[in-house]
Amino acid sequence: MPELKIDRLTLKLSGISELEGQRLAKLITEGLANSNISSQAADIPNLKVNIPSRPNASVDWLAEQIVADILRQLN
């Protein structure tokens, strides 16, 4: 399994608390750690993910969307 190194994760969010933001960051890192990353994954110095807002979206749903988009871009 290839190594994934994240130097910095910056989240720009509105409408969630600091605690929810911390939980979101944890869910993202756990989601990436438990994912299969292709050995052909690109070496991308910067990655930007935009998830359209969704009323009443859970932190779990948001984390899943972010992880899926990161993996899509890497693979």
Side-chain angles (χ1 to χ4, degrees):
M1 173 184 253
E3 181 177 288
L4 176 64
K5 181 179 178 185
I6 300 173
D7 291 324
R8 180 177 54 174
L9 172 64
T10 303
L11 301 171
K12 293 183 181 181
L13 306 165
S14 60
I16 69 171
S17 69
E18 182 178 349
L19 241 122
E20 289 173 313
Q22 291 171 353
R23 182 165 174 262
L24 177 60
K26 183 176 185 229
L27 289 171
I28 293 167
T29 56
E30 288 173 354
L32 291 171
N34 294 323
S35 296
N36 290 323
I37 299 170
S38 168
S39 60
Q40 306 285 322
D43 183 13
I44 301 173
N46 294 300
L47 194 68
K48 185 173 184 176
V49 175
N50 288 309
I51 306 298
S53 64
R54 180 176 159 191
N56 302 317
S58 71
V59 172
D60 294 296
W61 177 85
L62 189 54
E64 289 172 12
Q65 299 306 305
I66 292 169
V67 169
D69 197 38
I70 289 172
L71 294 175
R72 181 188 59 74
Q73 291 183 55
L74 289 176
N75 293 321

